[in-house]
Amino acid sequence: MARTPNFDTLAIHAGQEFDPTTGAVIPPIYQTSTYVQESIGHLRGGYEYSRGGNPTRTVLETLLAALEGGKHGLSFASGLAAEDTILRALLAPGDHIVLGNDVYGGTHRLINRVHGAWGILNSTVEMSDLAAVEQAIIPGETKILWVETPSNPLMKVCDIAALAQIGHRFGVTVIVDNTFASPALQQPLALGADVVVHSTTKYLGGHSDVLGGALIINDDELAEKAQFLQFAAGPVSAPMDAWLTVRGIKTLSVRMDRHCSNAQAIAEHLQGHPAIDRVYYPGLPTHPGHELAKKQMSGFGGMLSISFAGGAAAARSFAEATHLFQLAESLGGVESLVNYPSEMTHASVRGTELEVADNIIRLSVGIEDVADLIDDIDRALGSV
């Protein structure tokens, strides 16, 4: 029996057989909304209408499942569409979610303001404090433990295996947002998580040219519920978006190697700079989650944050002075980006426990030459 291919091979080949009609190496984009039936109720390949299924999306969903080591992959129009679907599949009014106190602002907005209006309750907790997590769970009411590691933007590292054990002891579904690490660096299902969620816009797509989201699920019943919502509510990825994401995933592993090495070099360069209070990067031995990250990740990622000794004015000056690091939301593309979370990605959590200090800048380190990136940073620091 043939062994399962390694990750880099799966990223290029899983779900991507050549086209049997023409021999095309790359599966085509099936830019169609509907499919001719052989006869009433007899479908060709199971395809009826593209909200329910599309061959290009099937390629992506097969690939996503293979990369995360899961049974079922589902592809969505955005990361938040994927999150909304799994919340609907698991929750009813009166249910409770425990989530970290440092998660993506859009996730908290979706849970707190959209689902909160329908009677879903939530508590935020320091996810690295296992005793606090256990205390926050309300037996019989808590249905989801929402884990983001590394977290956005403070790069906190949480023990997925330990959190999965706690969640399962209380009958809670453990969901891990794996966007920052990507499956190239971390595979939460193998550590005991029940569901993995991605914004495929980020590292999986990798080129800042497509929006998308994903769920990877092992449980057949839960996957069926999510697939029903995917069909009934329609938050699916379009064929071109699915194709672009597959194209991006082919180079995921080699891109992550460069993202990681560049981020490590920049984090080490920034440590000890008089303008900077702290560098948040799990690859630094001084990071409180460094040893855990070494254990559950194969690399430390391309994201880092820095806090400025000069407060908000210094942080804003730096963010507006870089050139190669372009001032923009999002992350995970080949190009480097700088973000001011308190007024950009995390503006919606001001006044909550998740509020991000106004002296913090988040860097999405791209795959450019690291010497050029460091030079850009040094020039911007000169303006602080």
Side-chain angles (χ1 to χ4, degrees):
M1 188 165 108
R3 66 174 180 82
T4 301
N6 292 323
F7 184 90
D8 292 6
T9 303
L10 288 173
I12 295 170
H13 293 287
Q16 301 171 69
E17 292 78 14
F18 69 85
D19 179 65
T21 302
T22 65
V25 171
I26 302 300
I29 304 169
Y30 288 88
Q31 194 68 50
T32 185
S33 61
T34 194
Y35 307 86
V36 174
Q37 300 183 14
E38 293 185 19
S39 58
I40 296 173
H42 290 81
L43 309 180
R44 300 173 190 268
Y47 296 104
E48 180 180 24
Y49 184 64
S50 277
R51 175 162 38 80
N54 174 280
T56 310
R57 195 166 84 237
T58 299
V59 169
L60 174 57
E61 292 178 332
T62 302
L63 176 58
L64 290 167
L67 294 184
E68 286 286 4
K71 290 179 66 176
H72 306 279
L74 289 79
S75 175
F76 296 85
S78 70
L80 284 170
E83 293 185 8
D84 182 61
T85 297
I86 196 62
L87 293 172
R88 293 176 185 273
L90 286 167
L91 300 172
D95 287 342
H96 176 249
I97 303 174
V98 174
L99 69 159
N101 60 6
D102 183 47
V103 300
Y104 168 51
T107 297
H108 183 266
R109 180 178 56 222
L110 175 66
I111 291 172
N112 194 52
R113 297 178 61 181
V114 177
H115 286 270
W118 291 91
I120 302 302
L121 307 174
N122 73 84
S123 300
T124 56
V125 67
E126 174 55 58
M127 278 284 171
S128 62
D129 184 342
L130 299 178
V133 172
E134 187 163 349
Q135 189 174 8
I137 293 174
I138 305 170
E141 295 182 26
T142 302
K143 299 296 167 59
I144 292 175
L145 186 58
W146 191 282
V147 181
E148 190 178 290
T149 182
S151 68
N152 181 5
L154 298 182
M155 306 303 298
K156 295 180 181 181
V157 178
C158 307
D159 190 332
I160 296 172
L163 290 169
Q165 289 178 359
I166 291 171
H168 296 158
R169 192 159 68 244
F170 288 92
V172 173
T173 300
V174 178
I175 300 174
V176 176
D177 185 337
N178 203 28
T179 298
F180 265 32
S182 88
L185 304 182
Q186 178 174 268
Q187 299 194 334
L189 295 178
L191 295 170
D194 301 300
V195 179
V196 171
V197 62
H198 281 281
S199 170
T200 58
T201 307
K202 312 304 192 298
Y203 285 111
L204 290 170
H207 294 79
S208 301
D209 56 8
V210 60
L211 288 177
L215 296 173
I216 299 90
I217 304 169
N218 271 336
D219 183 79
D220 294 338
E221 184 178 352
L222 179 56
E224 186 176 355
K225 288 181 181 178
Q227 288 163 344
F228 169 76
L229 288 166
Q230 188 186 39
F231 170 73
V236 296
S237 53
M240 175 62 85
D241 293 347
W243 188 89
L244 284 170
T245 305
V246 171
R247 184 281 316 266
I249 289 173
K250 289 177 183 292
T251 59
L252 175 63
S253 189
V254 291
R255 284 187 287 108
M256 292 308 296
D257 285 346
R258 177 63 71 87
H259 285 299
C260 290
S261 63
N262 280 0
Q264 184 76 37
I266 289 170
E268 292 174 358
H269 179 77
L270 289 173
Q271 261 199 316
H273 191 285
I276 294 172
D277 265 341
R278 181 176 174 185
V279 179
Y280 300 84
Y281 184 66
L284 296 175
T286 53
H287 188 285
H290 177 70
E291 291 302 320
L292 176 58
K294 283 172 63 176
K295 178 182 175 183
Q296 71 182 20
M297 301 174 69
S298 60
F300 299 112
M303 299 299 301
L304 63 93
S305 293
I306 50 180
S307 59
F308 283 83
R316 295 175 70 98
S317 293
F318 175 86
E320 294 173 351
T322 57
H323 295 286
L324 286 179
F325 281 88
Q326 299 174 91
L327 181 63
E329 299 205 8
S330 199
L331 59 101
V334 293
E335 68 292 312
S336 295
L337 301 178
V338 58
N339 173 272
Y340 186 54
S342 68
E343 292 191 23
M344 294 172 69
T345 52
H346 289 68
S348 65
V349 296
R350 283 189 201 142
T352 75
E353 292 181 58
L354 285 79
E355 182 172 351
V356 179
D358 60 9
N359 69 331
I360 288 179
I361 288 294
R362 189 189 74 186
L363 299 178
S364 174
V365 181
I367 65 172
E368 302 95 335
D369 187 283
V370 71
D372 293 330
L373 295 177
I374 289 174
D375 181 66
D376 188 43
I377 288 170
D378 286 344
R379 288 174 182 272
L381 285 171
S383 70
V384 172

